[in-house]
Amino acid sequence: MSHYDVIVAGVGGMGSAACYHLAKRGRRVLGLERFDLGHVMGSSHGLTRIIRIAYFEGEQYVPLLKRAAILWEETGREAGTQLFYKTGSLDIAPEGAGFAESSQKSCLEHDLPHEMLTRAEIARRYPAFTLPARHIANWQPDGGFIASERGIFAHAGLAMKHGAELRFNEPIVSWKITPAGGVEVRTERQTYTAGSLVLASGAWMPELVPVLGRTETIVKQAIGWFGVRKPELFQPDRFPVFILTVDEGNFYGFPLWEHPGFKLGGPHFAREPIDPNNPDRTPSAKQVAAIRDCLRKYIPDAAGDPMTIKGCMYTVTPDEHFVVDRLPEAPQVIVLSPCSGHGYKFCSVLGEVAADLVTKGSTPFDISSLSIRRLAA
């Protein structure tokens, strides 16, 4: 039976970052992944993920985001590749709906540069948008996107450089606490032991943590790349990442990058339940139609035919906030998921947080609002 200091369950966005930070601190790390490295069965594929420093989901996330941005840049440099592309970010919504205002509040609370824009100002700066009259936006210059699959490869490669052992296509069957106070993890191949366990298995977390199985919902989300009429409007040096709230729902989009199509995802709340063990990730026709309708109405120069359509999974808590905590009944086990569809941007820093909890017993970040105990209350 092989023994390690730490076992990390899942080598996707969160798990690869945890493997890297733990190995960099000299821990003997085993990462276990049920699929290939960089697979498309989870929540981190699709080329890019938005990183917003202004955060309408809650200003308590901003310190984590500021550190995440620094770490994405540092990790890219260490890996010899660019991971963070700064384009600025727009949170666009009807005035009074609360999304743009909450984004602005997070900037005010944390002294972030920002600017509130009217519909006319949005149109002047970013003529690709055709917005309803009541729409406003909070613009923040430090947002952008992360090359998401590249980020996983970078974290995994650096983890191995620092001595981590990563194993792929090896699903975890079960885990338990050992009499000595460590953990025993059984896979389809063999059994391993470690002093600590980091659970970062995304949509498979309910199978590993019973309280999450009773409270989480696993849903499928659609993302697509569409033909553009005026590609000059959507270049990274002149078009920001954005969240767009309209009557049809909440959508998110990116400038053109690597793929020749314009990427739009959503609608955020039009989620369809999925069993993560069902290999079909095809988005429904209803979801794709909603995206195309959004493009025709609000971003018409990117409303061409679909070029690539993909599905990904959200693992959603009742309040849509993360779970980053020790298991109350097993403090040697760190829960590093679920993230409710807005977590990838945090991978770099939450990997560091997991390493803090394992090696120091605490983290300088306030993660009290992300406690697992709230789900059992």
Side-chain angles (χ1 to χ4, degrees), residues 7 87 90 92 153 246 284 360 365 369 371:
I7 295 173
T87 64
L90 284 175
I92 312 169
F153 295 146
V246 287
S284 71
K360 301 177 182 178
F365 295 98
S369 65
S371 168

Side-chain angles (χ1 to χ4, degrees), residues 89-302:
S89 64
L90 284 175
D91 290 312
I92 312 169
E95 186 173 8
F99 293 101
E101 292 89 348
S102 294
S103 175
Q104 180 191 38
K105 180 183 178 183
S106 72
C107 293
L108 294 171
E109 290 281 345
H110 294 276
D111 197 27
L112 299 176
H114 68 285
E115 187 176 354
M116 291 296 282
L117 304 179
T118 65
R119 175 183 176 273
E121 289 167 333
I122 298 168
R124 185 171 64 252
R125 294 189 190 186
Y126 308 109
F129 289 110
T130 302
L131 299 172
R134 293 182 52 244
H135 274 59
I136 60 173
N138 184 44
W139 177 79
Q140 207 283 320
D142 299 316
F145 63 86
I146 305 300
S148 57
E149 291 154 321
R150 190 186 295 175
I152 293 172
F153 295 146
H155 277 136
L158 292 172
M160 291 187 288
K161 177 182 176 181
H162 289 287
E165 182 180 340
L166 306 184
R167 299 194 175 196
F168 301 96
N169 298 295
E170 187 168 351
I172 292 174
V173 175
S174 64
W175 66 270
K176 65 180 181 180
I177 301 302
T178 65
V183 294
E184 180 182 290
V185 175
R186 185 166 65 90
T187 74
E188 292 183 352
R189 297 183 194 172
Q190 64 184 91
T191 299
Y192 309 94
T193 60
S196 300
L197 173 63
V198 177
L199 297 174
S201 298
W204 290 268
M205 290 294 286
E207 298 179 6
L208 300 175
V209 183
V211 68
L212 298 182
R214 295 191 295 270
T215 57
E216 285 182 356
T217 304
I218 313 300
V219 296
K220 183 164 54 178
Q221 184 75 46
I223 51 177
W225 288 257
F226 300 84
V228 297
R229 282 193 309 227
K230 298 179 180 179
E232 67 274 11
L233 296 180
F234 302 101
Q235 298 303 312
D237 61 349
R238 62 178 304 183
F239 190 81
V241 298
F242 65 90
I243 306 294
L244 172 63
T245 301
V246 287
D247 290 343
E248 294 80 4
N250 289 60
F251 299 84
Y252 58 95
F254 303 76
L256 295 177
W257 185 75
E258 291 203 349
H259 194 294
F262 178 79
K263 181 182 177 182
L264 190 75
H268 181 80
F269 296 107
R271 303 161 178 166
E272 300 174 356
I274 182 175
D275 177 352
N277 294 309
N278 179 348
D280 184 8
R281 296 292 186 268
T282 307
S284 71
K286 183 178 179 180
Q287 287 179 318
V288 176
I291 292 175
R292 299 199 70 184
D293 190 44
C294 174
L295 290 171
R296 281 191 294 266
K297 289 181 178 179
Y298 309 114
I299 317 171
D301 287 314

